[in-house]
Amino acid sequence: MARGDADDGGLEILSKAGAIIDALAATPQLSAAGLAEAVGEPTSSTYRLLQSLTALGWVDPAPTRGAYRLGLGLMSTGASVEASLDVRGLALPRMRALRAEADLAVLLCYRKGLRAVCVERLEGHDVTSVAMQVADSLPLHRGAAPLALLAHLPAGERSAVVEQLADPLLTRPDDPADVEALTAELAAIRERGYARSDQDVTVGIAALGSPVLNHRGEMVAALSVSGLRERVIDQEEHVSALVTAAAAAISGDLGHGGTQGIGGDDG
């Protein structure tokens, strides 16, 4: 048999295995006959492939006699892949494209407790702000990226964090959050899909930020652009469209396939 034929055969088997995995991902458990029908293969060959997938731990026998379900081995492999995802590495090309288009500083931030930590920053061309450099942090109620992170926490966690931010013993004593005003602002952020910071960190500097979501729709980071106020707020419609599109693209790179952002009070 020629090498090309062998390669084609291997790819065909992988394709069939992938079809079985997809079918079981869509339906919690199926019999060998049900899987054969779902993937359009003879029951005999489907059963042989199921035996191989079971040996690998990718498919397990289901509690229902004669049925199969996704295996723990496949789930642990998926968890390892998810844990190894480098959000910063995936984000950098999108950040560079955003800076080129917006001509503003671009930041990527992660949440750490009650603060947002800058993990990547690309400078704009008009002004260099020292307020948020790499490894610097801000409280979650100050700045566009921090606000985007806070706004897109699950509702219960978000409320608890807002209460903590209002406690001067847990955050900066000279800058506690106003619970009512912050709660209203977070609702507005979820409604419009991005956060706005208008000189609340540095005089003359404004920023817009949007969440980055993973394949489960969970917020994992926030992307923001910042620059002179007149270049951000005076062009807010255009700039917000750029940053939300870039954040959505990074989310897509992470496997998120839904609408960007988490709207409503349950987000």
Side-chain angles (χ1 to χ4, degrees):
M1 181 171 58
R3 176 62 181 271
D5 293 338
D7 289 344
D8 289 344
L11 288 173
E12 184 179 359
I13 292 172
L14 287 174
S15 177
K16 292 176 181 178
I20 288 176
I21 297 300
D22 288 343
L24 289 175
T27 304
Q29 61 179 40
L30 286 168
S31 66
L35 280 165
E37 182 179 355
V39 302
E41 293 291 331
T43 301
S44 57
S45 60
T46 300
Y47 183 73
R48 287 195 297 271
L49 191 50
L50 281 168
Q51 288 180 310
S52 298
L53 292 173
T54 300
L56 290 169
W58 291 7
V59 170
D60 286 338
T64 303
R65 184 178 177 85
Y68 294 85
R69 63 185 178 184
L70 291 180
L72 293 177
L74 181 65
M75 294 179 184
S76 62
T77 300
S80 298
V81 171
E82 178 182 359
S84 68
L85 283 176
D86 179 3
V87 178
R88 175 181 170 274
L90 288 173
L92 263 173
R94 305 290 188 181
M95 293 175 67
R96 293 189 183 106
L98 176 59
R99 179 180 61 175
E101 193 164 7
D103 199 20
L104 296 165
V106 182
L107 292 79
L108 184 72
C109 293
Y110 294 168
R111 177 196 171 203
K112 185 174 183 179
L114 299 180
R115 302 183 71 82
V117 180
C118 179
V119 296
E120 188 58 75
R121 178 186 176 103
L122 303 178
E123 291 296 346
H125 297 121
D126 57 352
V127 63
T128 300
S129 171
V130 298
M132 193 66 158
Q133 296 295 319
V134 172
D136 289 343
S137 67
L138 287 171
L140 290 174
H141 62 299
R142 292 287 177 249
L147 282 167
L149 290 170
L150 178 56
H152 292 84
L153 289 174
E157 185 178 4
R158 184 174 66 241
S159 297
V161 170
V162 168
E163 292 291 339
Q164 290 176 309
L165 289 168
D167 186 343
L169 296 178
L170 298 177
T171 186
R172 285 176 49 183
D174 60 337
D175 187 30
D178 180 318
V179 172
E180 185 176 348
L182 180 56
T183 300
E185 175 60 19
L186 297 178
I189 291 169
R190 295 192 302 278
E191 177 67 25
R192 65 176 174 255
Y194 65 92
R196 178 194 301 115
S197 170
D198 188 359
Q199 305 185 93
D200 66 329
V201 176
T202 303
V203 175
I205 300 296
L208 303 178
S210 186
V212 173
L213 311 177
N214 67 13
H215 66 285
R216 290 193 296 264
E218 300 163 339
M219 182 273 301
V220 293
L223 184 71
S224 68
V225 293
S226 68
L228 294 173
R229 185 182 188 278
E230 58 267 25
R231 298 202 54 214
V232 177
I233 300 301
D234 291 357
Q235 302 177 54
E236 183 170 342
E237 182 176 356
H238 173 65
V239 175
S240 64
L242 293 179
V243 71
T244 54
I250 298 170
S251 299
D253 294 337
L254 291 170
H256 180 62
T259 302
Q260 180 73 349
I262 306 173
D265 192 51
D266 294 329

